[in-house]
């Protein structure tokens, strides 16, 4: 639902429509008000008339219709009879050229977007708000998007490739943040190698704070000099140590001050990571303390005008109502990134289904213009599903931890070097796997073997992130998700769980995509594109109705997905 803060947006109007899109008729306009009656009743702005399928303006328009149609001979009189004479302003796109209907001459004339500045929007409370008071309007050729004022980007509920500015440095999401030890001597992979691959890393401010030598260097020279990384640095605040050891020797506001002092780009509040399946009483108590610390941290930052950006972690254990409550409250605070915390134990137990529930119940109440970080998600096989559900950032210590145990990451699972040593070549073409055979790597001393395995794990991690970005741009991310989710039965179970939230996901899934729809199994029939298509079929009027049956097997799958 809109509110005053997230309604203040900049609108970029434009279009780049191909011939196929131009072939759509506009008969469905007859049912526009009927189709959006339910939407109108649920949203703050009561007079939404039409959502253009390629230009997302459904949160803005009132007494206004945007349509994209070919030049039908009866278009002018049709619009006049059905809309203009009822007081609606009609803007029509002819192959990207906006025109407006002149009711006096019964013809179209070029449209001046400055006219929209005086358009008033009626809220459901009855008052009228001038569009110029709440939004900036500009026409940009070739793109159609809403860009929020506070960040020059749009982060949608579902996957989007976006550039995010942090203290003058740019990262492209979705991306992975390698976990780096603040003591370079304890780092498995050299920071030079990590710098080649990553635009952002995550390290631990609590370890830095607790070690007198590291603390002195960080305070005198800054965290970037300590770690040797000149790009974006994110820090955890000690919450991980709190979850492992039960206590940390630092106060919540003290660690915020320390992160600001050492020049961290994005710091984290000292939240309480509540383990899965604890008692509800414990979960509520921990969440209450996390919210208190969150409010205190924001107040401290604003009072002292800190440069530090802040992570506001969503907690609530495995109680979905608490996750929603946490997301709603944290979302109203002025955090810059929203991590979803305390999911590592679930992933370690392959409980991906519950992770999906947590992600989506959190996303429903988080701002769409702020990135979401899935804390502790570092295995490549989980990235695609998480991204399609709206996660922008991941962090990984898995590349190093798995290497220490002789484990070899792939995009669809984990192999053991012990089981690979008799192969002639690795099933990978990264620099490590091209230079060494499995047997050569297996026979190395443990230190070198661990380092090289960690480098491979890091390469494969970034390779999967790049593959996901390409899939987003090509419009076939859902196909990649379905491929990845078939590498483990628990992932497939999680994917089916995600499809139960289709009504929510469909609202933000791109209307048009470059690639064709590929059927990969029964689950494909419950994807957002299919749901949207079925809804649109209701617009078609039939003289005859034909009834077809479906197999019992498909009915069974459908029932499982409900």
């Amino acid at each position: 639902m809109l509110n005053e803060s997230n309604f203040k947006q900049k609108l970029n109007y434009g279009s780049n429509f191909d011939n196929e899109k131009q072939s759509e008729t506009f008969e469905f306009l007859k049912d526009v008000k009927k189709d959006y009656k339910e939407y109108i009743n649920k949203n703050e702005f009561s007079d939404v008339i039409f959502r253009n399928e390629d230009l997302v303006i459904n949160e803005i328009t009132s007494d206004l219709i945007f349509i994209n149609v070919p030049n039908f001979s009866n278009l002018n009189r049709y619009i006049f009879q059905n809309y203009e004479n009822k007081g609606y302003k009609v803007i029509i796109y002819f192959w990207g050229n906006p025109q407006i209907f002149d009711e006096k001459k019964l013809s179209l004339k070029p449209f001046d977007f400055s006219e929209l500045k005086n358009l008033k929007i009626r809220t459901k409370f009855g008052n009228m708000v001038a569009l110029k008071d709440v939004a900036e309007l500009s026409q940009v050729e070739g793109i159609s998007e809403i860009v929020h004022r506070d960040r020059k980007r749009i982060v949608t509920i579902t996957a989007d490739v976006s550039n995010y500015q942090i203290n003058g440095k740019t990262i492209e999401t979705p991306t992975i943040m390698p976990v780096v030890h603040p003591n370079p001597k304890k780092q498995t992979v050299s920071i030079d190698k990590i710098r080649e691959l990553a635009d952002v890393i995550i390290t631990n401010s609590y370890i830095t704070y607790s070690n007198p030598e590291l603390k002195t260097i960080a305070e005198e020279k800054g965290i970037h000099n300590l770690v040797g990384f000149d790009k974006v640095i994110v820090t955890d605040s000690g919450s991980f140590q709190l979850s492992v050891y039960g206590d940390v020797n630092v106060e919540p506001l003290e660690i915020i001050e320390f992160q600001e002092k050492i020049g961290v780009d994005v710091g984290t509040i000292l939240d309480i990571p509540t383990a899965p399946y604890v008692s509800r009483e414990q979960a509520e108590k921990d969440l209450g303390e996390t919210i208190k610390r969150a409010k205190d941290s924001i107040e401290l930052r604003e009072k002292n005008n800190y440069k530090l950006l802040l992570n506001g972690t969503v907690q609530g254990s495995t109680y979905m109502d608490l996750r929603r409550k946490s997301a709603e409250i944290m979302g109203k605070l002025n955090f810059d990134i929203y991590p979803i915390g305390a999911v590592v134990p679930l992933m370690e137990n392959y409980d991906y289904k519950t992770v999906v529930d947590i992600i989506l119940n959190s996303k429903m109440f988080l701002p769409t213009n702020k990135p979401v970080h899935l804390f502790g998600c570092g295995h490549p096989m989980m990235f695609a599903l998480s991204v399609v559900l709206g996660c922008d950032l991941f962090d990984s210590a898995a590349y190093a931890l798995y290497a220490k145990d002789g484990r070899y990451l792939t995009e669809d699972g984990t192999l053991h070097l012990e089981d690979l040593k008799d192969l002639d070549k690795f099933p990978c073409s990264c620099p490590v796997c091209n230079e060494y055979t499995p047997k050569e790597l297996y026979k190395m001393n443990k230190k070198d073997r661990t380092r090289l395995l960690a480098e491979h794990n890091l390469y494969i991690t970034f390779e999967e992130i790049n593959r996901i970005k390409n899939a987003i741009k090509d419009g076939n991310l859902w196909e990649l998700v379905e491929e990845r989710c078939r590498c483990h039965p628990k992932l497939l179970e999680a994917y089916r769980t995600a499809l139960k939230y289709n009504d929510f996901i469909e609202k933000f899934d791109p209307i048009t995509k470059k690639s064709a729809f590929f059927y990969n199994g029964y689950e494909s029939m419950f994807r957002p594109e299919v749901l949207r298509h079925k809804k649109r079929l209701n617009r078609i009027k039939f003289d005859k109705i034909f009834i077809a049956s479906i197999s019992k097997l498909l009915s069974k799958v459908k029932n499982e997905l409900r």
Side-chain angles (χ1 to χ4, degrees):
M1 181 173 291
L2 298 179
N3 55 48
E4 183 177 355
S5 61
N6 66 20
F7 182 60
K8 294 185 176 181
Q9 302 168 348
K10 174 182 176 181
L11 302 180
N12 288 326
Y13 293 100
S15 65
N16 187 18
F17 302 112
D18 55 32
N19 291 333
E20 182 179 353
K21 295 175 188 174
Q22 299 300 332
S23 66
E24 294 185 7
T25 66
F26 53 95
E27 289 296 322
F28 60 85
L29 288 175
K30 296 177 181 178
D31 296 321
V32 161
K33 294 197 72 175
K34 177 182 177 182
D35 291 345
Y36 283 87
K37 185 176 182 181
E38 182 178 353
Y39 176 87
I40 290 168
N41 291 336
K42 289 183 178 180
N43 286 271
E44 181 177 357
F45 293 95
S46 60
D47 288 335
V48 175
I49 302 303
F50 178 63
R51 184 183 81 166
N52 179 288
E53 301 300 335
D54 293 284
L55 183 59
V56 183
I57 58 172
N58 56 305
E59 295 181 337
I60 294 294
T61 59
S62 174
D63 298 335
L64 175 67
I65 300 172
F66 278 77
I67 60 175
N68 168 48
V69 294
N71 192 3
F72 291 107
S73 59
N74 65 342
L75 174 64
N76 296 352
R77 187 166 297 278
Y78 179 87
I79 290 178
F80 178 73
Q81 291 175 349
N82 288 277
Y83 293 98
E84 196 70 35
N85 63 349
K86 296 181 181 179
Y88 300 129
K89 184 182 290 293
V90 180
I91 298 173
I92 305 144
Y93 279 92
F94 285 106
W95 288 268
N97 299 316
Q99 301 182 56
I100 192 166
F101 187 76
D102 188 333
E103 63 272 18
K104 294 181 179 178
K105 297 182 180 180
L106 296 181
S107 62
L108 293 167
K109 62 181 181 180
F111 176 70
D112 182 0
F113 273 89
S114 64
E115 295 182 28
L116 281 181
K117 293 182 179 180
N118 296 318
L119 179 71
K120 291 189 175 182
I121 302 163
R122 181 181 296 108
T123 73
K124 69 178 183 180
F125 303 107
N127 58 311
M128 301 295 290
V129 180
L131 191 58
K132 65 182 179 182
D133 293 335
V134 293
E136 298 173 3
L137 279 77
S138 61
Q139 183 179 4
V140 180
E141 183 179 358
I143 61 173
S144 302
E145 62 182 359
I146 297 177
V147 181
H148 292 260
R149 280 180 172 177
D150 57 347
R151 299 286 179 204
K152 295 181 179 179
R153 69 193 292 272
I154 175 73
V155 183
T156 56
I157 291 295
T158 51
D160 182 34
V161 176
S162 302
N163 288 328
Y164 189 63
Q165 299 291 328
I166 299 178
N167 293 336
K169 307 161 191 173
T170 302
I171 64 173
E172 185 183 67
T173 59
T175 194
I176 179 80
M177 301 180 287
V179 174
V180 172
H181 198 286
N183 186 348
K185 296 178 182 179
K186 294 187 176 182
Q187 181 57 28
T188 306
V189 176
S190 72
I191 196 66
D192 292 332
K193 181 67 66 176
I194 290 175
R195 193 185 299 111
E196 293 175 8
L197 299 171
D199 293 323
V200 53
I201 62 171
I202 184 168
T203 188
N204 195 296
S205 63
Y206 178 68
I207 293 176
T208 307
Y209 175 87
S210 302
N211 184 302
E213 182 181 354
L214 297 178
K215 182 179 181 182
T216 299
I217 297 173
E219 288 180 337
E220 292 178 355
K221 298 182 179 180
I223 189 70
H224 291 82
N225 283 317
L226 172 65
V227 177
F229 191 77
D230 58 358
K231 302 179 184 179
V232 176
I233 294 182
V234 180
T235 53
D236 193 6
S237 57
S239 295
F240 175 75
Q241 284 72 22
L242 184 61
S243 66
V244 174
Y245 305 114
D247 190 25
V248 289
N249 189 28
V250 68
E251 294 299 318
L253 295 185
E254 188 178 3
I255 198 66
I256 298 294
E257 293 171 340
F258 179 70
Q259 290 174 95
E260 168 69 16
K261 185 176 183 179
I262 64 177
V264 170
D265 293 300
V266 184
T268 305
I269 65 170
L270 186 57
D271 57 291
I272 308 296
T274 310
Y277 305 112
V278 300
S279 69
R280 184 176 182 89
E281 181 182 3
Q282 182 65 46
E284 289 177 336
K285 178 182 177 182
D286 289 350
L287 179 57
E289 180 62 24
T290 292
I291 291 171
K292 178 183 180 301
R293 294 181 179 188
K295 293 178 178 178
D296 291 344
S297 299
I298 287 292
E299 183 180 350
L300 176 69
R301 183 181 71 169
E302 294 179 350
K303 177 182 178 181
N304 295 289
N305 197 26
Y306 284 167
K307 184 180 178 181
L308 177 73
L309 302 186
L310 273 178
N311 283 317
T313 312
V314 176
Q315 293 291 350
S317 186
T318 41
Y319 297 95
M320 298 308 147
D321 60 321
L322 295 184
R323 288 284 181 173
R324 293 192 293 270
K325 176 183 177 181
S326 176
E328 185 173 16
I329 294 174
M330 301 294 281
K332 293 177 180 178
L333 301 175
N334 191 27
F335 285 105
D336 302 280
I337 297 174
Y338 290 95
I340 298 174
V343 295
V344 171
L346 295 169
M347 290 187 284
E348 289 177 341
N349 290 318
Y350 299 92
D351 192 358
Y352 303 125
K353 171 182 175 294
T354 303
V355 175
V356 165
D357 283 327
I358 289 173
I359 292 173
L360 286 168
N361 278 275
S362 301
K363 287 289 295 186
M364 288 178 185
F365 292 91
L366 289 174
T368 58
N369 64 325
K370 302 289 181 72
V372 170
H373 171 195
L374 188 59
F375 249 140
C377 179
H379 200 298
M381 72 178 185
M382 186 67 182
F383 291 165
L385 178 60
S386 302
V387 168
V388 86
L389 301 181
C391 295
D392 304 283
L393 297 167
F394 306 93
D395 65 278
S396 176
Y399 73 95
L401 296 176
Y402 280 40
K404 291 177 181 178
D405 293 335
R407 289 184 284 177
Y408 179 97
L409 288 180
T410 73
E411 66 272 12
D412 55 8
T414 306
L415 303 174
H416 290 267
L417 187 60
E418 171 77 24
D419 299 328
L420 297 173
K421 67 180 186 297
D422 294 327
L423 296 179
D424 293 332
K425 294 182 179 180
F426 281 111
C428 171
S429 57
C430 77
V432 173
C433 296
N434 273 333
E435 185 172 351
Y436 302 98
T437 66
K439 186 171 291 186
E440 289 173 338
L441 196 59
Y442 181 74
K443 289 184 176 181
M444 286 183 183
N445 64 71
K446 185 174 182 179
K447 182 178 179 181
D448 290 340
R449 181 173 65 243
T450 299
R451 175 179 59 82
L452 290 171
L453 264 180
E455 287 183 11
H456 156 78
N457 291 344
L458 204 55
Y459 279 122
I460 205 72
T461 297
F462 276 95
E463 181 181 316
E464 180 68 0
I465 288 292
N466 292 333
R467 186 180 291 112
I468 289 169
K469 289 179 180 178
N470 288 333
I472 293 171
K473 293 173 181 177
D474 291 340
N476 55 18
L477 180 59
W478 282 98
E479 282 78 8
L480 179 61
V481 170
E482 290 184 336
E483 178 183 341
R484 291 289 178 266
C485 287
R486 279 172 169 75
C487 70
H488 196 285
K490 290 295 185 179
L491 269 179
L492 184 58
E493 179 186 34
Y495 177 53
R496 290 177 174 178
T497 297
L499 293 176
K500 296 178 182 179
Y501 294 86
N502 241 348
D503 286 337
F504 172 69
I505 296 173
E506 188 274 330
K507 296 177 182 178
F508 305 95
D509 188 63
I511 299 291
T512 58
K513 300 176 183 179
K514 293 181 182 179
S515 64
F517 179 96
F518 287 91
Y519 176 83
N520 294 306
Y522 293 119
E523 293 81 13
S524 299
M525 298 186 67
F526 304 95
R527 278 168 42 182
E529 304 100 310
V530 178
L531 176 65
R532 185 182 304 118
H533 178 71
K534 289 172 66 177
K535 287 181 178 179
R536 291 184 177 185
L537 287 177
N538 294 328
R539 298 171 175 171
I540 301 174
K541 307 301 180 183
F542 298 97
D543 293 328
K544 296 181 180 180
I545 298 176
F546 297 90
I547 299 176
S549 61
I550 59 176
S551 69
K552 293 181 179 179
L553 179 60
L554 183 56
S555 298
K556 179 181 178 182
V557 174
K558 182 177 180 181
N559 289 332
E560 289 178 357
L561 289 170
R562 284 178 177 170

